[in-house]
């Protein structure tokens, strides 16, 4: 669930590396969330969560720059950017409201939401640009 799998490959090395990093960060959050040592890990959780949010913003920007650079289909670009924007907004909202409650159940829900979204987005939305970008020499 928290490991990047070969079936996630979009055929572009830099983007696969970025996707691996996203899974790594969500996996780190999950590790912290399941730690049962009696200590409060709130600060650590917020730190990794913010890292995930910021890295997501960087990664989405990287993809969107490629769309622009190679003139990717305007309709696909629009839908894709909307998905990216929706996720970032949700992450910001979670950071402001949900994490504040410092509850394990909420954190686990957030983690499941994030990993599920990332997986679906890669498989159903990112993969659509593979052939197009590959045909422009982006690999
Ligand atoms: Fe994307």
């Amino acid at each position: 669930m928290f490991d990047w799998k070969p079936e996630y490959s979009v055929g572009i090395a830099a983007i696969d590396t970025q996707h691996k990093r996203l899974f790594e960060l969500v996996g780190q959050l999950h590790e912290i969330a399941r730690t049962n040592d009696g200590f409060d890990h709130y600060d650590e959780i917020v730190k990794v969560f913010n890292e995930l949010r910021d890295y997501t913003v960087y990664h989405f920007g990287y993809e969107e720059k490629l769309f622009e650079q190679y003139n990717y289909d305007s309709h696909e670009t629009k839908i894709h950017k909307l998905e990216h924007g929706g996720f970032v907004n949700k992450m910001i909202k979670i950071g402001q409201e949900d994490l504040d409650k410092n509850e394990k159940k909420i954190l686990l829900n957030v983690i499941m939401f994030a990993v599920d979204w990332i997986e679906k987005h890669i498989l159903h939305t990112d993969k659509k640009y593979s052939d197009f970008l590959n045909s422009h020499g982006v690999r």
Side-chain angles (χ1 to χ4, degrees):
M1 176 122 226
F2 299 100
D3 290 318
W4 183 90
K5 300 178 186 77
E7 68 194 76
Y8 298 153
S9 177
V10 294
I12 297 158
I15 293 179
D16 283 347
T17 303
Q18 290 167 15
H19 285 157
K20 284 173 191 164
R21 179 76 186 135
L22 291 179
F23 280 100
E24 229 172 68
L25 287 167
V26 191
Q28 264 181 43
L29 270 181
H30 189 237
E31 279 301 309
I32 304 168
R34 37 183 284 222
T35 307
N36 256 326
D37 56 5
F39 289 100
D40 182 58
H41 293 276
Y42 182 72
D43 291 347
E44 221 181 317
I45 287 161
V46 170
K47 186 179 156 277
V48 180
F49 180 84
N50 288 343
E51 211 180 324
L52 172 65
R53 183 204 55 210
D54 295 346
Y55 193 77
T56 303
V57 170
Y58 159 75
H59 162 66
F60 289 168
Y62 186 94
E63 285 185 347
E64 290 172 14
K65 226 176 91 192
L66 285 174
F67 300 162
E68 209 176 300
Q69 194 175 343
Y70 294 99
N71 241 322
Y72 186 44
D73 178 87
S74 64
H75 178 67
E76 290 297 337
T77 299
K78 195 178 155 194
I79 295 172
H80 204 130
K81 281 185 169 179
L82 276 173
E83 277 191 34
H84 284 171
F87 186 72
V88 170
N89 286 340
K90 175 106 186 183
M91 292 292 278
I92 291 168
K93 200 167 161 249
I94 286 167
Q96 285 166 344
E97 295 171 14
D98 297 340
L99 287 195
D100 236 22
K101 298 185 184 104
N102 195 10
E103 275 178 37
K104 189 167 228 166
K105 212 179 108 195
I106 292 174
L107 179 62
L108 284 169
N109 278 338
V110 164
I111 291 165
M112 292 333 265
F113 160 76
V115 77
D116 192 57
W117 189 95
I118 292 166
E119 186 195 49
K120 285 200 173 75
H121 179 77
I122 292 173
L123 291 176
H124 302 297
T125 307
D126 286 344
K127 275 186 176 259
K128 284 195 198 166
Y129 61 56
S130 293
D131 289 347
F132 172 79
L133 289 175
N134 283 168
S135 76
H136 283 85
V138 186
R139 280 169 197 280

